[in-house]
């Protein structure tokens, strides 16, 4: 699968938004598919198997989070939420349900296209894990195969938990991960609420990897939601 052949499914009940997205998606060389209800979107997703799904939460027949949950029963396709709901709880609930990213309305189409490209790179890496052995963020290189992290060409010593946290972010690079998701994956289900651990280890990673830990460019905070590795 290449980004030029990518199929993008938009589940959105507002026709003006679908019309707004079409020129940008087609200009990028992708094929746009549309659905205006959750049920139609679920059928389209199961039949067409899109490479990326863009989903509104406020659908007329069902909540978008339920759409996320139902798709996650059978597919790992990237799901980007596009919604007017801007509360932190809405973002966290959608991401914890299995969405990969969240863009709030009103939005810039350029940003959305960039997020789609990130999602397509993620799909490509999953489909062809040997093609890109390392994740690169500025002068930081994370080699997941050899478990080596370098900054400006020099090896960086990380503790096992620091490496596990960084590797988890690298495997989802470009996507936001909630505090709960990271805690579950790195420390286990019993620590899903221990956000103090997470803040401490993120601070340690930034001290070792960021040129200015107080203003990180790569290990960025999504306020109230979680963290994202920007590559």
């Amino acid at each position: 699968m290449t980004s030029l052949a990518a199929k993008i499914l938009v589940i959105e009940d507002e026709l003006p938004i679908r019309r707004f997205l079409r020129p940008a998606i087609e200009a990028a060389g992708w094929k746009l598919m549309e659905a205006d209800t959750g049920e139609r979107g679920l059928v389209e997703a199961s039949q067409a198997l899109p490479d990326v799904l863009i989903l509104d939460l406020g659908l007329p027949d069902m909540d978008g989070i339920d759409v996320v949950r139902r798709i996650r029963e059978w597919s790992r396709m990237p799901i980007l939420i596009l919604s007017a709901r801007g509360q932190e709880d809405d973002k966290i609930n959608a991401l914890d349900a299995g969405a990969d990213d969240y863009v709030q309305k009103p939005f810039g189409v350029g940003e959305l296209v960039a997020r789609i490209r990130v999602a397509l790179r993620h799909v490509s890496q999953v489909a062809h894990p040997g093609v890109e052995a390392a994740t690169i963020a500025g002068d930081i290189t994370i080699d997941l195969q050899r478990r080596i992290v370098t900054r400006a060409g020099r090896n960086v010593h990380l503790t096992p938990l620091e490496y596990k946290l960084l590797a988890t972010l690298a495997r989802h690079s470009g996507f936001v991960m909630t505090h709960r998701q990271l805690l579950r994956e790195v420390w286990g289900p019993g620590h899903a609420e221990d956000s103090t651990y997470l803040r401490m280890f993120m601070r340690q990673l930034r001290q070792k990897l960021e040129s200015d830990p107080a203003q990180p460019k790569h290990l960025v905070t999504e306020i109230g939601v979680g963290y994202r590795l920007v590559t």
Side-chain angles (χ1 to χ4, degrees):
M1 192 280 300
T2 67
S3 61
L4 291 178
K7 295 179 290 186
I8 314 298
L9 172 59
V10 176
I11 305 178
E12 165 66 68
D13 63 316
E14 295 186 44
L15 180 58
I17 290 181
R18 300 201 306 272
R19 286 177 173 169
F20 176 65
L21 290 175
R22 178 173 289 278
I25 288 176
E26 292 181 345
W30 306 323
K31 179 182 178 181
L32 176 67
M33 300 174 293
E34 303 178 25
D36 58 1
T37 68
E39 288 295 343
R40 287 175 185 154
L42 287 168
V43 171
E44 189 76 17
S46 64
Q47 293 180 348
L49 299 176
D51 299 297
V52 177
L53 172 62
I54 299 174
L55 173 65
D56 181 25
L57 294 182
L59 298 170
D61 59 335
M62 62 194 301
D63 194 288
I65 291 178
D66 292 328
V67 176
V68 173
R69 292 193 179 105
R70 288 175 61 176
I71 287 177
R72 282 293 172 255
E73 292 174 359
W74 58 271
S75 175
R76 288 303 309 165
M77 69 177 69
I79 300 176
L80 278 63
I81 301 299
L82 186 63
S83 178
R85 300 182 194 174
Q87 297 298 316
E88 290 176 4
D89 286 348
D90 294 319
K91 297 179 182 180
I92 291 169
N93 290 337
L95 293 164
D96 280 343
D100 296 287
D101 210 346
Y102 198 110
V103 178
Q104 186 177 341
K105 299 175 183 176
F107 62 94
V109 71
E111 178 189 0
L112 184 64
V113 168
R115 299 282 181 93
I116 294 172
R117 288 198 184 100
V118 168
L120 290 171
R121 284 200 301 271
H122 186 71
V123 171
S124 179
Q125 289 167 21
V126 171
H128 308 285
V131 172
E132 187 169 338
T135 298
I136 299 173
D139 62 354
I140 305 164
T141 301
I142 305 156
D143 189 327
L144 295 174
Q145 292 186 350
R146 296 190 297 162
R147 297 177 64 87
I148 294 173
V149 179
T150 62
R151 179 184 170 198
R154 297 183 178 182
N155 285 2
V156 178
H157 172 73
L158 301 178
T159 68
L161 278 175
E162 288 172 348
Y163 177 81
K164 191 174 182 182
L165 175 57
L166 183 63
T168 300
L169 288 165
R171 283 193 293 270
H172 301 272
S173 61
F175 293 143
V176 59
M177 297 197 71
T178 68
H179 301 120
R180 191 174 292 113
Q181 286 171 330
L182 287 167
L183 286 163
R184 279 200 303 253
E185 290 202 30
V186 178
W187 284 271
H191 295 274
E193 305 300 328
D194 296 338
S195 57
T196 303
Y197 285 134
L198 185 54
R199 286 195 299 270
M200 180 179 70
F201 276 84
M202 283 299 299
R203 184 166 59 248
Q204 292 170 190
L205 281 177
R206 285 168 172 164
Q207 290 290 339
K208 294 181 178 183
L209 298 173
E210 295 279 3
S211 57
D212 184 357
Q215 295 183 312
K217 293 182 178 179
H218 305 293
L219 295 165
V220 302
T221 299
E222 296 286 344
I223 297 174
V225 178
Y227 299 96
R228 184 196 305 264
L229 177 64
V230 177
T231 58

